[in-house]
Amino acid sequence: MSWQSYVDDQLISTKVIKSAVIAGHDGNIWASSAGFAVTAEELKSLLGKYASTEQMAMNGIMIGGVKYMFLSATDRVVRAKKGTSGVHCIKTVQALIVCLYEDPVVPEQAATVTEKLGEYLISVGY
């Protein structure tokens, strides 16, 4: 399966995720949904902040030119929101998955979809 089909078939087709991107740990984008204006620099910046939740808490998270308020993080998952929309990210062995959701989707729904694909990629070594 191509990276684009993971974005289209596992994330966007659920109708839970509005926009999604899968990128390498270097920030290079492997696949993204149509019209998602996220940049490699934003992804690199996010990956660099994974170890420092204080930095994310102070400065927020910039995705697609939009600044989101940091909510919480683990060593693999980062959550942030802006109004009734939000971003849910999971870092796998070799990739970063970033998903955006909007009202009426609730954060838990986005978390389930995003982390399901992330856990699968981890299980197959990606």
Side-chain angles (χ1 to χ4, degrees):
M1 194 179 316
S2 74
W3 292 112
Q4 191 60 52
S5 62
Y6 281 116
V7 168
D8 297 339
D9 304 336
Q10 304 295 313
L11 300 173
I12 302 300
S13 71
T14 65
K15 305 289 188 234
V16 171
I17 304 301
K18 180 185 181 256
S19 302
V21 64
I22 300 176
H25 285 187
D26 56 3
N28 286 330
I29 296 170
W30 297 350
S32 69
S33 55
F36 190 18
V38 67
T39 66
E41 290 76 31
E42 289 172 331
L43 297 173
K44 261 189 271 200
S45 174
L46 174 59
L47 283 159
K49 293 176 184 171
Y50 253 83
S52 172
T53 54
E54 297 82 26
Q55 233 187 343
M56 288 189 279
M58 284 191 310
N59 303 319
I61 298 166
M62 187 70 77
I63 298 290
V66 177
K67 187 175 179 180
Y68 293 86
M69 181 181 78
F70 172 74
L71 294 176
S72 65
T74 66
D75 59 335
R76 286 203 307 227
V77 174
V78 170
R79 298 169 197 87
K81 71 176 228 158
K82 179 180 176 108
T84 57
S85 63
V87 61
H88 199 89
C89 314
I90 185 166
K91 186 167 134 182
T92 68
V93 180
Q94 299 178 44
L96 174 68
I97 303 170
V98 177
C99 294
L100 299 184
Y101 62 90
E102 289 184 342
D103 200 33
V105 173
V106 295
E108 294 78 13
Q109 291 172 296
T112 301
V113 171
T114 306
E115 291 180 34
K116 180 179 172 191
L117 178 57
E119 297 297 336
Y120 168 74
L121 291 179
I122 290 167
S123 75
V124 296
Y126 273 98

